[in-house]
Amino acid sequence: MESSEEKVVAVIIVGGPAEGTRFRPLSFNTPKPLFPLAGHPMVHHPISACKKIPNLAQIFLIGFYEGREFALYVSSISNELKVPVRYLKEDKPHGSAGSLYYFRDQIMEDSPSHIFLLNCDVCCNFPLPNMLDSHKRYGGMGTLLVIKVSPESANQFGELVADPITKELLHYTEKPETFVSDLINCGVYIFTPKIFSAIEDVSMHWEDRANVRVSNFALQMATRSLLPDFVRLDQDILSPLAGKKQLYTYETMDFWEQMKTPGISIKCSALYLAQFRVASPHLLAKGDGTKNATVVGDVYIHPSAKVHPTAKIGPNVSISANVRVAPGVRLINCIILDDVEIDENAVIMHAIVGWKSSIGKWSRVQADGDYNKKLGITILGEAVSVEDEVVVINSIVLPNKSLNVSVQEEIIL
């Protein structure tokens, strides 16, 4: 029988600067994992979910951002959750499985019986305690969180086949060219420490194959040192182990998205706001237009923000610290970042307004709200100035620009 004192650790993969290119211009000066969704950094949501895991000993963030970029946040979230959170900096990218193996000594410090592995850019309800219970029943080395998606979109992810009764993972293919299944990998896992042996076996297999093909001794030794460095969890671990009674699946019926682009962050922010309504209603703003602004639907307003009572906010709006919203402003389906000034009667809809930007009187910043289109969401980078009565539609504006004429479907460099 398993002891109730068995410890669990969680590892969250946060990536690094080279992986944030698709998230520009919002990742120019802020690491993607610290970009706010529903008023909290992106990485805050999986960290908060980990807090609910029984016997959680530590949370590790693994990436190759500079440590100083996470130092303040890691300190504050550790104090807030009363759980140690540590940032482990890679010297270079090692892959999702390789980075786990690279820091295996630190991860195993508390001799955990189970290790959660989460990708930072996943947006979901993170049913981690239920996953843990199911994983223990299955008795395998690992369990994957999975979800059904439309057949048309499945090939953008890792498709898999699972036994409908036992839930064993029978087949796994990463982004196949032909349709395999509408069941996909969510990027959330739980493993026993046996995962380290599985990663080591892959590395050893690669070395053996390389030694057969490489005759030059110097080149052979170089290959030996390089091969174990980068190991992908999906192609290199999941695919070979599928059908061997080692891996199982846990299907979620709740929401799930992957945050690949800035536009999708508005959708993810809305999903988390809707989750607040059930799990943390105190985080949502309220107002009827008398002492406070009129609030429609799910809205987050930072306590330091100043919003005029005649403004109308929502649905699906997140307002960050030190924002100033003037009389008559209308905000719909948008993210307003720190220190933004929005002047009288401006309208912002289906947009992200970057830090320290300003929106003039009677101006409009809007888009058609198609998250899948490159210009389906209007994005203003940091310190963008939109002057009075200027209309910005379906556009992306890089930082430190000033707009005194209206633009539509443009990228302002």
Side-chain angles (χ1 to χ4, degrees), residues 20-33:
T21 54
R22 289 184 295 180
F23 213 70
R24 293 174 179 169
L26 300 176
S27 59
F28 278 143
N29 298 317
T30 298
K32 179 182 173 182

Side-chain angles (χ1 to χ4, degrees), residues 261-283:
T261 62
I264 203 72
S265 63
I266 289 187
K267 183 177 183 181
C268 293
S269 187
L271 290 169
Y272 281 135
L273 287 171
Q275 189 181 40
F276 288 170
R277 194 189 323 141
V278 176
S280 306
H282 64 282
L283 295 176

